[in-house]
Amino acid sequence: MSATAPTFLPLYRQIRDLILRSLEAGEWRPGAAIPSELELAARFRVSQGTVRKAIAELAGENLLLRRQGRGTFVATHSELRQQFRFLRIVPDEGAPEPYESRASECRRARASVEAARLLELKPGDGVVCIRRVLRFGGAPIVLEEITLPGSMFKGLSAAKLGKHAGSIYHLYETEFGTPMIRADEKLRAAAADAGAAQALGVVAGTPLLSVERVAFTYGDRPVEWRRGLYRTDKHYYRNVLT
Amino acid sequence: MSATAPTFLPLYRQIRDLILRSLEAGEWRPGAAIPSELELAARFRVSQGTVRKAIAELAGENLLLRRQGRGTFVATHSELRQQFRFLRIVPDEGAPEPYESRASECRRARASVEAARLLELKPGDGVVCIRRVLRFGGAPIVLEEITLPGSMFKGLSAAKLGKHAGSIYHLYETEFGTPMIRADEKLRAAAADAGAAQALGVVAGTPLLSVERVAFTYGDRPVEWRRGLYRTDKHYYRNVLT
DNA sequence: GAGTGGTCTAGACCACTAG
DNA sequence: TAGTGGTCTAGACCACTCC
């Protein structure tokens, strides 16, 4: 009952993989333009149409961004429009608001068995643990604990987190060369414990939305494990099913 | 600050819209094959490539399903693979399991102000209200209240719900000619009230995942409003961010 | 005006399915 | 073997951005 191996790999998919390899290798940085379609066609000795189809796939996976008349760009978390790509919380009333992040903790630790399993590390490997609160309109709405492989995030500190503007994924990609491209989330309801209640300004036992996430970089390599607790009395988690 | 009108509508998009209109009109039923690309190209007097691009868009929106060597088919909720397209609950351990639906109630009522707003009806218009429980492995996991426009679901009854095999969306499309193609969900955490606690076998106050959904048919017309309460002690709501 | 991505066509050939 | 969708090419032209 093994999965059938692909008996045929179209040319455009091979080109796609070559471009992907260049992205992984950092040949073009996030936000930068990649060569034009005609240049890539010449480089790979294929027609422009084949390159177009390869790029279209990568754009569909949000790894590239096409802009007519300007070029094709490596996806980045630096733009405001990307701010809420991975953060699906929305206020009941009004438009999505900018948030403010306050990291209360950023320490080195040893990977738990669970962290090791999810991040494909060995138990005991070094990790970075971040604890932070996201505030919307001044109010604490999200409490998060983030776990990262220590080896990939060597210089990460509370100071660096505080100094950095924009989303933490922007920090990952600019300071540590690790763009996040996909994430799996598990959502549950949970009662606030004493710590969460205090951080979010609710009474203990209040139902909170628990969002557990593993985020991946190129090659489906897991890089970040986080657990968020969301207040959902004035906000909700938006999802679109298609 | 109005949205800029599309100054240019590509041919393939016009063809897309024509095919969409045929789908809306029911020219081809869910599950049935649409004409081949060459036939459509002849009908619309465009090249096969243009039809291909139109179909590719509709397939990307999950309105059509392409199968090499066989043809292109109208999307349907009748297939098992589609069972969990709109139901994102997954057990902590093991593979997704089939579920059993028990409707405890199916009655006619007048639309509340909120139901009218969400379903684009007038307050007081006739609606159908369904209350049901979904069981996984015999255990009640999801409690749902579903509201539908009465005018579109004239013969719907508890008996019909009970007789029908498969998902309720399959019922909508086969018995009432209304395929569901998209849904917006709002997720929150909520404490179980007495009724929910009894239905799901938990103590009152237990945190439950609240899933409020509006589902749409062709033309972004809202057709279904539902609120689900999910037990998440042994299951979770799965989401993929890309 | 030069350069980019976007559209459209026509045709050849390939891979897959079914009878 | 016939018919379907899938791939690949080459070329012409369009729409958009920037200088």
Side-chain angles (χ1 to χ4, degrees), chain A residues 15-36:
Chain A
I15 303 302
R16 187 204 93 110
D17 292 345
L18 288 173
I19 297 174
L20 188 50
R21 216 159 302 162
S22 288
L23 285 169
E24 289 191 43
E27 180 174 341
W28 316 296
R29 311 196 75 79
I34 71 171
S36 75

Side-chain angles (χ1 to χ4, degrees), chain A:
Chain A
M1 289 307 236
S2 65
T4 43
T7 173
F8 167 70
L9 194 60
L11 185 53
Y12 76 86
R13 203 169 278 278
Q14 300 175 42
I15 303 302
R16 187 204 93 110
D17 292 345
L18 288 173
I19 297 174
L20 188 50
R21 216 159 302 162
S22 288
L23 285 169
E24 289 191 43
E27 180 174 341
W28 316 296
R29 311 196 75 79
I34 71 171
S36 75
E37 294 176 351
L38 283 172
E39 284 180 84
L40 290 172
R43 180 203 287 198
F44 298 126
R45 314 293 188 99
V46 298
S47 76
Q48 186 187 10
T50 299
V51 170
R52 287 186 64 77
K53 195 150 187 192
I55 290 176
E57 278 216 348
L58 293 167
E61 299 168 50
N62 293 310
L63 302 185
L64 293 176
L65 182 63
R66 323 189 68 165
R67 289 196 269 187
Q68 188 179 45
R70 300 194 51 191
T72 300
F73 301 81
V74 182
T76 175
H77 290 273
S78 70
E79 295 163 39
L80 266 184
R81 317 161 37 246
Q82 297 288 305
Q83 194 82 304
F84 286 90
R85 178 170 153 209
F86 287 76
L87 182 60
R88 309 282 279 259
I89 197 140
V90 176
D92 287 343
E93 313 289 344
E97 5 170 29
Y99 62 85
E100 180 198 357
S101 163
R102 292 191 198 168
S104 63
E105 194 181 306
C106 178
R107 62 185 173 81
R108 305 275 148 176
R110 299 280 148 202
S112 66
V113 172
E114 189 173 14
R117 180 175 59 83
L118 293 170
L119 296 179
E120 294 177 5
L121 304 172
K122 286 193 290 290
D125 279 2
V127 293
V128 184
C129 293
I130 299 167
R131 188 181 162 93
R132 66 171 189 165
V133 171
L134 302 187
R135 289 165 187 273
F136 293 78
I141 303 299
V142 177
L143 169 64
E144 283 182 327
E145 287 179 354
I146 302 176
T147 303
L148 302 163
S151 58
M152 298 181 64
F153 292 84
K154 284 218 159 66
L156 185 54
S157 63
K160 212 156 210 163
L161 284 171
K163 250 189 349 207
H164 187 81
S167 84
I168 199 169
Y169 285 176
H170 183 209
L171 178 71
Y172 295 173
E173 81 182 17
T174 53
E175 301 278 324
F176 302 96
T178 304
M180 307 306 272
I181 60 177
R182 185 175 71 80
D184 288 343
E185 289 191 333
K186 297 183 178 184
L187 279 67
R188 319 177 115 91
D193 62 19
Q198 199 266 327
L200 294 177
V202 297
V203 301
T206 300
L208 298 174
L209 181 62
S210 160
V211 181
E212 195 183 342
R213 175 194 297 176
V214 177
F216 301 83
T217 188
Y218 294 119
D220 282 323
R221 282 180 295 133
V223 169
E224 181 201 58
W225 174 42
R226 68 163 80 181
R227 189 194 184 199
L229 292 170
Y230 296 19
R231 274 188 71 164
T232 56
D233 48 340
K234 296 197 179 63
H235 294 73
Y236 62 90
Y237 181 107
R238 182 171 48 82
N239 201 21
V240 177
L241 309 178
T242 54

Side-chain angles (χ1 to χ4, degrees), chain B residues 32-218:
Chain B
I34 71 171
S36 75
E37 295 176 351
L38 283 172
E39 283 180 85
L40 291 171
R43 181 203 286 200
F44 298 128
R45 313 293 188 99
V46 298
S47 76
Q48 184 188 10
T50 299
V51 170
R52 287 186 64 75
K53 195 149 187 192
I55 290 177
E57 278 216 349
L58 293 166
E61 300 168 49
N62 293 310
L63 302 185
L64 293 177
L65 182 63
R66 324 189 68 166
R67 290 197 268 187
Q68 188 178 47
R70 301 193 51 191
T72 300
F73 300 82
V74 182
T76 176
H77 291 273
S78 70
E79 295 163 39
L80 266 183
R81 317 160 40 248
Q82 297 287 305
Q83 194 82 302
F84 286 91
R85 176 170 153 209
F86 286 74
L87 182 61
R88 309 284 279 261
I89 195 137
V90 176
D92 287 344
E93 312 290 344
E97 6 170 28
Y99 61 85
E100 180 197 357
S101 163
R102 292 189 198 169
S104 63
E105 193 181 307
C106 178
R107 61 186 173 80
R108 305 274 148 180
R110 299 280 147 202
S112 66
V113 172
E114 189 173 14
R117 180 175 59 84
L118 293 170
L119 296 180
E120 293 176 7
L121 305 171
K122 287 193 288 292
D125 278 1
V127 294
V128 184
C129 294
I130 300 166
R131 187 180 163 92
R132 65 170 189 166
V133 171
L134 302 187
R135 288 163 187 275
F136 292 78
I141 303 298
V142 177
L143 168 65
E144 283 183 326
E145 286 179 355
I146 303 177
T147 303
L148 302 163
S151 58
M152 298 180 64
F153 292 84
K154 284 216 159 66
L156 186 53
S157 63
K160 211 155 210 164
L161 283 171
K163 249 188 349 206
H164 186 83
S167 85
I168 199 168
Y169 285 175
H170 184 210
L171 178 71
Y172 295 172
E173 81 182 18
T174 53
E175 302 278 326
F176 302 97
T178 303
M180 307 306 274
I181 60 178
R182 186 174 71 79
D184 288 343
E185 289 191 332
K186 297 182 178 184
L187 280 68
R188 318 179 116 90
D193 62 19
Q198 199 267 325
L200 295 176
V202 298
V203 301
T206 300
L208 298 174
L209 182 63
S210 160
V211 181
E212 195 184 341
R213 175 194 298 177
V214 177
F216 302 83
T217 187
Y218 294 120

Side-chain angles (χ1 to χ4, degrees), chain B residues 15-31:
Chain B
I15 302 302
R16 186 205 94 110
D17 292 344
L18 288 173
I19 297 174
L20 189 50
R21 216 161 300 163
S22 289
L23 286 169
E24 289 191 43
E27 181 174 340
W28 315 296
R29 310 194 75 79

